[in-house]
Amino acid sequence: KQEVTQIPAALSVPEGENLVLNCSFTDSAIYNLQWFRQDPGKGLTSLLLIQSSQREQTSGRLNASLDKSSGRSTLYIAASQPGDSATYLCAAVTSGTYKYIFGTGTRLKVLA
Amino acid sequence: DGGITQSPKYLFRKEGQNVTLSCEQNLNHDAMYWYRQDPGQGLRLIYYSQIVNDFQKGDIAEGYSVSREKKESFPLTVTSAQKNPTAFYLCASSIGRDRKFVGNTIYFGEGSWLTVV
């Protein structure tokens, strides 16, 4: 059974700092690994999707990497801004299923 | 605009009562999902459906029921058998069983808050 873990659970950084969020998954047979942002009381918004055959994806100040052999993905945020404050969740889709299994998220606060 | 609409945004349930959460999508997606989120927690899968008139239990299906009579709609009923229903409920959809699935993301509605009174 696929299990997804995110560390740290919460993170507080000063504005302008570069930071890394971590995601681990137990079953490396995946279709893809995705990163989402969730603002308080809202739904999730997709940030980046890395297919099983890919190693990384970039969008603006965000870069996500995937290492299936170690069961890890990282989300790198460059030059953080107060507007980046939110909860970030990763989700893995195990091959042969169409179920998205989510981690518990990292709550990020960027201080002005 | 294309998207997923959940209603109501806030719902209160009395003891012993069944309540139904609505989810409608106009993205022409085959797959739809229901997740539950408790405060400070990740998302747990309740039910999912890959095609009309078919659905599967997720990890926490007990006390919940669904139907998929139309491609656009996937309502969730929280029954009186669900003893701790207070949570944030999220509906989502994706392209489903398609060769393009691996490169396509899942889209979420804005969620519904359910509280037991």
Side-chain angles (χ1 to χ4, degrees):
Chain A
K1 179 183 175 184
Q2 180 73 271
E3 294 182 2
V4 180
T5 306
Q6 290 187 247
I7 296 173
L11 184 62
S12 187
V13 300
E15 183 177 5
E17 193 161 298
N18 302 327
L19 56 100
V20 175
L21 306 181
N22 296 294
C23 173
S24 301
F25 48 95
T26 55
D27 187 346
S28 61
I30 58 173
Y31 282 132
N32 58 50
L33 189 290
Q34 301 184 39
W35 285 92
F36 298 85
R37 169 183 174 139
Q38 185 179 30
D39 292 295
K42 299 289 188 180
L44 279 68
T45 301
S46 178
L47 296 173
L48 289 166
L49 180 153
I50 312 174
Q51 296 182 40
S52 176
S53 58
Q54 298 172 330
R55 294 298 299 269
E56 66 177 337
Q57 285 289 330
T58 298
S59 176
R61 294 183 293 107
L62 305 179
N63 175 276
S65 66
L66 175 65
D67 183 348
K68 284 198 308 175
S69 62
S70 65
R72 294 174 185 264
S73 176
T74 62
L75 178 66
Y76 175 83
I77 303 177
S80 58
Q81 303 171 358
D84 294 331
S85 298
T87 296
Y88 291 81
L89 297 100
C90 66
V93 186
T94 307
S95 297
T97 78
Y98 294 84
K99 299 192 298 182
Y100 294 76
I101 305 300
F102 285 82
T104 52
T106 294
R107 191 170 62 254
L108 173 66
K109 187 170 186 178
V110 181
L111 305 170
Chain B
D1 286 350
I4 300 174
T5 301
Q6 289 188 239
S7 63
K9 179 68 175 178
Y10 300 96
L11 187 60
F12 299 91
R13 192 193 92 168
K14 295 180 180 179
E15 293 289 341
Q17 190 179 48
N18 294 349
V19 294
T20 298
L21 306 180
S22 171
C23 178
E24 303 278 332
Q25 56 99 357
N26 61 3
L27 299 168
N28 198 32
H29 283 167
D30 285 316
M32 297 188 73
Y33 309 78
W34 274 106
Y35 287 91
R36 168 179 173 146
Q37 187 176 34
D38 293 283
Q41 301 296 314
L43 278 65
R44 291 186 290 168
L45 183 63
I46 305 172
Y47 269 98
Y48 64 110
S49 168
Q50 295 294 325
I51 198 169
V52 173
N53 292 324
D54 187 44
F55 48 82
Q56 290 78 39
K57 293 182 179 180
D59 299 319
I60 57 165
E62 185 174 350
Y64 300 97
S65 66
V66 294
S67 63
R68 187 84 187 276
E69 298 176 359
K70 298 187 300 182
K71 185 176 185 177
E72 303 79 17
S73 179
F74 192 40
L76 173 73
T77 297
V78 185
T79 75
S80 58
Q82 171 51 242
K83 298 307 179 187
N84 184 25
T86 296
F88 188 49
Y89 291 86
L90 286 159
C91 178
S93 72
S94 73
I95 197 168
R97 289 176 181 165
D98 184 283
R99 59 185 176 82
K100 294 179 286 186
F101 172 81
V102 295
N104 280 269
T105 190
I106 183 172
Y107 294 86
F108 283 84
E110 286 294 291
S112 293
W113 290 93
L114 174 61
T115 303
V116 174
V117 296

mmCIF file of all heavy atoms in Angstrom, chain A residues 32-71:
data_model
loop_
_atom_site.group_PDB
_atom_site.id
_atom_site.type_symbol
_atom_site.label_atom_id
_atom_site.label_comp_id
_atom_site.label_asym_id
_atom_site.label_seq_id
_atom_site.Cartn_x
_atom_site.Cartn_y
_atom_site.Cartn_z
ATOM 1 N N ASN A 32 2.926 9.183 -11.710
ATOM 2 C CA ASN A 32 3.485 10.517 -11.566
ATOM 3 C C ASN A 32 3.474 10.939 -10.098
ATOM 4 O O ASN A 32 2.886 10.277 -9.243
ATOM 5 C CB ASN A 32 2.727 11.544 -12.428
ATOM 6 C CG ASN A 32 1.252 11.621 -12.099
ATOM 7 O OD1 ASN A 32 0.880 11.740 -10.937
ATOM 8 N ND2 ASN A 32 0.406 11.601 -13.120
ATOM 9 N N LEU A 33 4.145 12.045 -9.820
ATOM 10 C CA LEU A 33 4.214 12.652 -8.496
ATOM 11 C C LEU A 33 3.855 14.113 -8.687
ATOM 12 O O LEU A 33 4.392 14.772 -9.592
ATOM 13 C CB LEU A 33 5.614 12.486 -7.915
ATOM 14 C CG LEU A 33 5.943 12.850 -6.456
ATOM 15 C CD1 LEU A 33 5.916 14.359 -6.227
ATOM 16 C CD2 LEU A 33 5.026 12.141 -5.495
ATOM 17 N N GLN A 34 2.929 14.617 -7.876
ATOM 18 C CA GLN A 34 2.461 15.986 -8.068
ATOM 19 C C GLN A 34 2.603 16.792 -6.783
ATOM 20 O O GLN A 34 2.486 16.246 -5.680
ATOM 21 C CB GLN A 34 0.999 15.977 -8.515
ATOM 22 C CG GLN A 34 0.778 15.213 -9.804
ATOM 23 C CD GLN A 34 -0.644 15.290 -10.301
ATOM 24 O OE1 GLN A 34 -1.279 16.324 -10.220
ATOM 25 N NE2 GLN A 34 -1.139 14.170 -10.814
ATOM 26 N N TRP A 35 2.807 18.078 -6.946
ATOM 27 C CA TRP A 35 2.846 19.025 -5.840
ATOM 28 C C TRP A 35 1.681 19.995 -5.967
ATOM 29 O O TRP A 35 1.378 20.468 -7.070
ATOM 30 C CB TRP A 35 4.158 19.800 -5.833
ATOM 31 C CG TRP A 35 5.314 18.995 -5.333
ATOM 32 C CD1 TRP A 35 6.187 18.244 -6.079
ATOM 33 C CD2 TRP A 35 5.754 18.883 -3.978
ATOM 34 N NE1 TRP A 35 7.127 17.654 -5.265
ATOM 35 C CE2 TRP A 35 6.883 18.035 -3.967
ATOM 36 C CE3 TRP A 35 5.307 19.411 -2.768
ATOM 37 C CZ2 TRP A 35 7.564 17.705 -2.796
ATOM 38 C CZ3 TRP A 35 5.982 19.086 -1.609
ATOM 39 C CH2 TRP A 35 7.106 18.243 -1.632
ATOM 40 N N PHE A 36 1.050 20.289 -4.809
ATOM 41 C CA PHE A 36 -0.118 21.158 -4.760
ATOM 42 C C PHE A 36 0.088 22.229 -3.692
ATOM 43 O O PHE A 36 0.823 22.044 -2.726
ATOM 44 C CB PHE A 36 -1.380 20.365 -4.399
ATOM 45 C CG PHE A 36 -1.747 19.309 -5.392
ATOM 46 C CD1 PHE A 36 -1.177 18.053 -5.329
ATOM 47 C CD2 PHE A 36 -2.694 19.560 -6.384
ATOM 48 C CE1 PHE A 36 -1.518 17.060 -6.232
ATOM 49 C CE2 PHE A 36 -3.047 18.575 -7.292
ATOM 50 C CZ PHE A 36 -2.449 17.332 -7.216
ATOM 51 N N ARG A 37 -0.642 23.298 -3.853
ATOM 52 C CA ARG A 37 -0.716 24.356 -2.852
ATOM 53 C C ARG A 37 -2.143 24.432 -2.354
ATOM 54 O O ARG A 37 -3.095 24.333 -3.136
ATOM 55 C CB ARG A 37 -0.303 25.691 -3.481
ATOM 56 C CG ARG A 37 -0.595 26.890 -2.606
ATOM 57 C CD ARG A 37 -0.250 28.191 -3.265
ATOM 58 N NE ARG A 37 -0.697 29.304 -2.431
ATOM 59 C CZ ARG A 37 0.001 30.407 -2.232
ATOM 60 N NH1 ARG A 37 1.192 30.562 -2.821
ATOM 61 N NH2 ARG A 37 -0.465 31.356 -1.462
ATOM 62 N N GLN A 38 -2.298 24.609 -1.028
ATOM 63 C CA GLN A 38 -3.629 24.784 -0.444
ATOM 64 C C GLN A 38 -3.617 25.990 0.478
ATOM 65 O O GLN A 38 -2.862 26.037 1.444
ATOM 66 C CB GLN A 38 -4.080 23.543 0.334
ATOM 67 C CG GLN A 38 -5.506 23.642 0.849
ATOM 68 C CD GLN A 38 -5.960 22.402 1.594
ATOM 69 O OE1 GLN A 38 -5.165 21.708 2.210
ATOM 70 N NE2 GLN A 38 -7.262 22.111 1.537
ATOM 71 N N ASP A 39 -4.465 26.959 0.182
ATOM 72 C CA ASP A 39 -4.663 28.096 1.076
ATOM 73 C C ASP A 39 -5.730 27.726 2.101
ATOM 74 O O ASP A 39 -6.583 26.869 1.841
ATOM 75 C CB ASP A 39 -5.057 29.328 0.273
ATOM 76 C CG ASP A 39 -3.900 29.804 -0.604
ATOM 77 O OD1 ASP A 39 -2.877 30.215 -0.033
ATOM 78 O OD2 ASP A 39 -4.000 29.735 -1.839
ATOM 79 N N PRO A 40 -5.736 28.370 3.267
ATOM 80 C CA PRO A 40 -6.665 27.993 4.342
ATOM 81 C C PRO A 40 -8.123 27.962 3.894
ATOM 82 O O PRO A 40 -8.624 28.933 3.303
ATOM 83 C CB PRO A 40 -6.426 29.065 5.401
ATOM 84 C CG PRO A 40 -5.007 29.482 5.189
ATOM 85 C CD PRO A 40 -4.800 29.434 3.701
ATOM 86 N N GLY A 41 -8.808 26.859 4.153
ATOM 87 C CA GLY A 41 -10.219 26.732 3.834
ATOM 88 C C GLY A 41 -10.534 26.638 2.354
ATOM 89 O O GLY A 41 -11.701 26.806 1.952
ATOM 90 N N LYS A 42 -9.531 26.337 1.537
ATOM 91 C CA LYS A 42 -9.729 26.282 0.085
ATOM 92 C C LYS A 42 -9.388 24.903 -0.459
ATOM 93 O O LYS A 42 -8.831 24.050 0.226
ATOM 94 C CB LYS A 42 -8.832 27.323 -0.596
ATOM 95 C CG LYS A 42 -9.105 28.754 -0.179
ATOM 96 C CD LYS A 42 -10.409 29.258 -0.726
ATOM 97 C CE LYS A 42 -10.585 30.738 -0.468
ATOM 98 N NZ LYS A 42 -11.883 31.237 -1.013
ATOM 99 N N GLY A 43 -9.699 24.716 -1.746
ATOM 100 C CA GLY A 43 -9.291 23.499 -2.415
ATOM 101 C C GLY A 43 -7.808 23.542 -2.775
ATOM 102 O O GLY A 43 -7.099 24.478 -2.434
ATOM 103 N N LEU A 44 -7.344 22.498 -3.460
ATOM 104 C CA LEU A 44 -5.945 22.393 -3.832
ATOM 105 C C LEU A 44 -5.736 22.892 -5.252
ATOM 106 O O LEU A 44 -6.576 22.677 -6.126
ATOM 107 C CB LEU A 44 -5.478 20.933 -3.759
ATOM 108 C CG LEU A 44 -5.106 20.384 -2.395
ATOM 109 C CD1 LEU A 44 -6.314 20.265 -1.481
ATOM 110 C CD2 LEU A 44 -4.413 19.030 -2.545
ATOM 111 N N THR A 45 -4.576 23.519 -5.465
ATOM 112 C CA THR A 45 -4.186 23.993 -6.787
ATOM 113 C C THR A 45 -2.906 23.283 -7.195
ATOM 114 O O THR A 45 -1.932 23.270 -6.441
ATOM 115 C CB THR A 45 -3.946 25.512 -6.781
ATOM 116 O OG1 THR A 45 -5.145 26.166 -6.363
ATOM 117 C CG2 THR A 45 -3.552 25.993 -8.162
ATOM 118 N N SER A 46 -2.900 22.705 -8.386
ATOM 119 C CA SER A 46 -1.720 21.988 -8.862
ATOM 120 C C SER A 46 -0.587 22.955 -9.175
ATOM 121 O O SER A 46 -0.797 24.001 -9.796
ATOM 122 C CB SER A 46 -2.080 21.192 -10.118
ATOM 123 O OG SER A 46 -0.947 20.521 -10.627
ATOM 124 N N LEU A 47 0.608 22.609 -8.717
ATOM 125 C CA LEU A 47 1.800 23.422 -8.981
ATOM 126 C C LEU A 47 2.689 22.779 -10.048
ATOM 127 O O LEU A 47 3.041 23.416 -11.038
ATOM 128 C CB LEU A 47 2.606 23.597 -7.694
ATOM 129 C CG LEU A 47 1.945 24.359 -6.552
ATOM 130 C CD1 LEU A 47 2.803 24.287 -5.305
ATOM 131 C CD2 LEU A 47 1.668 25.801 -6.948
ATOM 132 N N LEU A 48 3.055 21.543 -9.813
ATOM 133 C CA LEU A 48 3.965 20.849 -10.720
ATOM 134 C C LEU A 48 3.621 19.370 -10.762
ATOM 135 O O LEU A 48 3.226 18.790 -9.742
ATOM 136 C CB LEU A 48 5.429 21.006 -10.270
ATOM 137 C CG LEU A 48 6.054 22.389 -10.448
ATOM 138 C CD1 LEU A 48 7.341 22.501 -9.660
ATOM 139 C CD2 LEU A 48 6.313 22.677 -11.920
ATOM 140 N N LEU A 49 3.777 18.766 -11.921
ATOM 141 C CA LEU A 49 3.563 17.331 -12.105
ATOM 142 C C LEU A 49 4.819 16.747 -12.739
ATOM 143 O O LEU A 49 5.291 17.275 -13.750
ATOM 144 C CB LEU A 49 2.340 17.091 -12.996
ATOM 145 C CG LEU A 49 1.937 15.649 -13.315
ATOM 146 C CD1 LEU A 49 0.438 15.593 -13.606
ATOM 147 C CD2 LEU A 49 2.721 15.079 -14.496
ATOM 148 N N ILE A 50 5.349 15.695 -12.127
ATOM 149 C CA ILE A 50 6.519 15.009 -12.680
ATOM 150 C C ILE A 50 6.092 13.605 -13.067
ATOM 151 O O ILE A 50 5.672 12.812 -12.214
ATOM 152 C CB ILE A 50 7.673 14.918 -11.673
ATOM 153 C CG1 ILE A 50 7.942 16.271 -11.011
ATOM 154 C CG2 ILE A 50 8.936 14.414 -12.367
ATOM 155 C CD1 ILE A 50 8.985 16.196 -9.911
ATOM 156 N N GLN A 51 6.175 13.293 -14.338
ATOM 157 C CA GLN A 51 5.840 11.948 -14.783
ATOM 158 C C GLN A 51 6.934 10.969 -14.364
ATOM 159 O O GLN A 51 8.072 11.369 -14.105
ATOM 160 C CB GLN A 51 5.683 11.923 -16.304
ATOM 161 C CG GLN A 51 4.534 12.782 -16.798
ATOM 162 C CD GLN A 51 4.376 12.711 -18.302
ATOM 163 O OE1 GLN A 51 4.507 11.644 -18.894
ATOM 164 N NE2 GLN A 51 4.082 13.849 -18.914
ATOM 165 N N SER A 52 6.588 9.706 -14.328
ATOM 166 C CA SER A 52 7.497 8.664 -13.872
ATOM 167 C C SER A 52 8.819 8.667 -14.644
ATOM 168 O O SER A 52 9.875 8.366 -14.079
ATOM 169 C CB SER A 52 6.814 7.306 -14.013
ATOM 170 O OG SER A 52 7.680 6.272 -13.660
ATOM 171 N N SER A 53 8.765 9.024 -15.916
ATOM 172 C CA SER A 53 9.959 8.990 -16.766
ATOM 173 C C SER A 53 10.810 10.257 -16.653
ATOM 174 O O SER A 53 11.874 10.342 -17.261
ATOM 175 C CB SER A 53 9.547 8.796 -18.227
ATOM 176 O OG SER A 53 8.680 9.849 -18.620
ATOM 177 N N GLN A 54 10.323 11.233 -15.884
ATOM 178 C CA GLN A 54 11.020 12.512 -15.789
ATOM 179 C C GLN A 54 11.794 12.621 -14.475
ATOM 180 O O GLN A 54 11.494 11.922 -13.505
ATOM 181 C CB GLN A 54 10.011 13.668 -15.907
ATOM 182 C CG GLN A 54 9.283 13.675 -17.240
ATOM 183 C CD GLN A 54 8.156 14.696 -17.286
ATOM 184 O OE1 GLN A 54 7.547 15.006 -16.266
ATOM 185 N NE2 GLN A 54 7.873 15.205 -18.476
ATOM 186 N N ARG A 55 12.738 13.549 -14.432
ATOM 187 C CA ARG A 55 13.541 13.752 -13.220
ATOM 188 C C ARG A 55 13.178 15.050 -12.512
ATOM 189 O O ARG A 55 13.327 15.165 -11.289
ATOM 190 C CB ARG A 55 15.021 13.763 -13.557
ATOM 191 C CG ARG A 55 15.557 12.441 -14.048
ATOM 192 C CD ARG A 55 15.423 11.349 -12.982
ATOM 193 N NE ARG A 55 16.147 11.644 -11.773
ATOM 194 C CZ ARG A 55 17.408 11.279 -11.551
ATOM 195 N NH1 ARG A 55 18.077 10.637 -12.472
ATOM 196 N NH2 ARG A 55 17.988 11.579 -10.402
ATOM 197 N N GLU A 56 12.720 16.064 -13.269
ATOM 198 C CA GLU A 56 12.360 17.323 -12.637
ATOM 199 C C GLU A 56 11.460 18.136 -13.542
ATOM 200 O O GLU A 56 11.365 17.890 -14.747
ATOM 201 C CB GLU A 56 13.608 18.120 -12.271
ATOM 202 C CG GLU A 56 14.428 18.618 -13.435
ATOM 203 C CD GLU A 56 15.601 19.456 -12.962
ATOM 204 O OE1 GLU A 56 15.551 20.014 -11.847
ATOM 205 O OE2 GLU A 56 16.567 19.566 -13.717
ATOM 206 N N GLN A 57 10.785 19.108 -12.908
ATOM 207 C CA GLN A 57 9.945 20.053 -13.616
ATOM 208 C C GLN A 57 10.130 21.421 -12.962
ATOM 209 O O GLN A 57 10.344 21.510 -11.751
ATOM 210 C CB GLN A 57 8.466 19.654 -13.543
ATOM 211 C CG GLN A 57 8.060 18.500 -14.430
ATOM 212 C CD GLN A 57 8.062 18.868 -15.906
ATOM 213 O OE1 GLN A 57 7.819 20.018 -16.281
ATOM 214 N NE2 GLN A 57 8.362 17.897 -16.744
ATOM 215 N N THR A 58 10.021 22.459 -13.784
ATOM 216 C CA THR A 58 10.215 23.823 -13.286
ATOM 217 C C THR A 58 9.077 24.705 -13.730
ATOM 218 O O THR A 58 8.572 24.578 -14.854
ATOM 219 C CB THR A 58 11.545 24.392 -13.808
ATOM 220 O OG1 THR A 58 12.628 23.586 -13.318
ATOM 221 C CG2 THR A 58 11.748 25.821 -13.331
ATOM 222 N N SER A 59 8.664 25.615 -12.819
ATOM 223 C CA SER A 59 7.670 26.622 -13.156
ATOM 224 C C SER A 59 7.996 27.865 -12.355
ATOM 225 O O SER A 59 7.813 27.907 -11.144
ATOM 226 C CB SER A 59 6.258 26.135 -12.828
ATOM 227 O OG SER A 59 5.304 27.158 -13.067
ATOM 228 N N GLY A 60 8.528 28.876 -13.034
ATOM 229 C CA GLY A 60 8.883 30.108 -12.347
ATOM 230 C C GLY A 60 9.919 29.890 -11.263
ATOM 231 O O GLY A 60 11.000 29.351 -11.523
ATOM 232 N N ARG A 61 9.567 30.254 -10.027
ATOM 233 C CA ARG A 61 10.508 30.084 -8.898
ATOM 234 C C ARG A 61 10.446 28.686 -8.280
ATOM 235 O O ARG A 61 11.128 28.421 -7.294
ATOM 236 C CB ARG A 61 10.180 31.127 -7.824
ATOM 237 C CG ARG A 61 10.428 32.568 -8.264
ATOM 238 C CD ARG A 61 10.148 33.563 -7.129
ATOM 239 N NE ARG A 61 8.734 33.615 -6.767
ATOM 240 C CZ ARG A 61 8.225 33.108 -5.648
ATOM 241 N NH1 ARG A 61 9.016 32.526 -4.754
ATOM 242 N NH2 ARG A 61 6.929 33.214 -5.402
ATOM 243 N N LEU A 62 9.634 27.818 -8.835
ATOM 244 C CA LEU A 62 9.461 26.479 -8.293
ATOM 245 C C LEU A 62 10.189 25.446 -9.149
ATOM 246 O O LEU A 62 10.146 25.508 -10.376
ATOM 247 C CB LEU A 62 7.976 26.109 -8.238
ATOM 248 C CG LEU A 62 7.039 27.042 -7.496
ATOM 249 C CD1 LEU A 62 5.610 26.503 -7.571
ATOM 250 C CD2 LEU A 62 7.472 27.227 -6.068
ATOM 251 N N ASN A 63 10.834 24.490 -8.455
ATOM 252 C CA ASN A 63 11.477 23.374 -9.137
ATOM 253 C C ASN A 63 11.204 22.118 -8.336
ATOM 254 O O ASN A 63 11.445 22.079 -7.121
ATOM 255 C CB ASN A 63 12.976 23.606 -9.269
ATOM 256 C CG ASN A 63 13.693 22.403 -9.870
ATOM 257 O OD1 ASN A 63 14.036 21.456 -9.167
ATOM 258 N ND2 ASN A 63 13.881 22.431 -11.169
ATOM 259 N N ALA A 64 10.674 21.098 -8.992
ATOM 260 C CA ALA A 64 10.418 19.832 -8.313
ATOM 261 C C ALA A 64 11.264 18.741 -8.943
ATOM 262 O O ALA A 64 11.391 18.684 -10.165
ATOM 263 C CB ALA A 64 8.934 19.468 -8.395
ATOM 264 N N SER A 65 11.839 17.895 -8.098
ATOM 265 C CA SER A 65 12.640 16.778 -8.585
ATOM 266 C C SER A 65 12.034 15.465 -8.131
ATOM 267 O O SER A 65 11.280 15.416 -7.160
ATOM 268 C CB SER A 65 14.077 16.900 -8.056
ATOM 269 O OG SER A 65 14.089 16.737 -6.656
ATOM 270 N N LEU A 66 12.368 14.398 -8.854
ATOM 271 C CA LEU A 66 11.855 13.065 -8.547
ATOM 272 C C LEU A 66 12.989 12.058 -8.624
ATOM 273 O O LEU A 66 13.691 11.989 -9.637
ATOM 274 C CB LEU A 66 10.748 12.683 -9.519
ATOM 275 C CG LEU A 66 10.184 11.269 -9.398
ATOM 276 C CD1 LEU A 66 9.484 11.076 -8.063
ATOM 277 C CD2 LEU A 66 9.229 10.968 -10.555
ATOM 278 N N ASP A 67 13.160 11.266 -7.557
ATOM 279 C CA ASP A 67 14.119 10.167 -7.532
ATOM 280 C C ASP A 67 13.355 8.921 -7.128
ATOM 281 O O ASP A 67 13.146 8.655 -5.943
ATOM 282 C CB ASP A 67 15.249 10.460 -6.542
ATOM 283 C CG ASP A 67 16.302 9.361 -6.547
ATOM 284 O OD1 ASP A 67 16.061 8.293 -7.129
ATOM 285 O OD2 ASP A 67 17.380 9.579 -5.967
ATOM 286 N N LYS A 68 12.919 8.151 -8.128
ATOM 287 C CA LYS A 68 12.088 6.979 -7.835
ATOM 288 C C LYS A 68 12.856 5.914 -7.064
ATOM 289 O O LYS A 68 12.298 5.225 -6.217
ATOM 290 C CB LYS A 68 11.563 6.375 -9.138
ATOM 291 C CG LYS A 68 10.439 7.160 -9.762
ATOM 292 C CD LYS A 68 9.681 6.328 -10.776
ATOM 293 C CE LYS A 68 10.589 5.708 -11.791
ATOM 294 N NZ LYS A 68 9.873 4.802 -12.709
ATOM 295 N N SER A 69 14.138 5.770 -7.343
ATOM 296 C CA SER A 69 14.907 4.705 -6.703
ATOM 297 C C SER A 69 14.969 4.876 -5.189
ATOM 298 O O SER A 69 14.991 3.894 -4.445
ATOM 299 C CB SER A 69 16.322 4.655 -7.287
ATOM 300 O OG SER A 69 17.009 5.871 -7.032
ATOM 301 N N SER A 70 14.984 6.124 -4.742
ATOM 302 C CA SER A 70 15.018 6.379 -3.300
ATOM 303 C C SER A 70 13.638 6.714 -2.749
ATOM 304 O O SER A 70 13.496 6.914 -1.533
ATOM 305 C CB SER A 70 15.981 7.521 -2.981
ATOM 306 O OG SER A 70 15.517 8.735 -3.531
ATOM 307 N N GLY A 71 12.636 6.807 -3.605
ATOM 308 C CA GLY A 71 11.280 7.133 -3.157
ATOM 309 C C GLY A 71 11.162 8.542 -2.612
ATOM 310 O O GLY A 71 10.499 8.764 -1.601
#
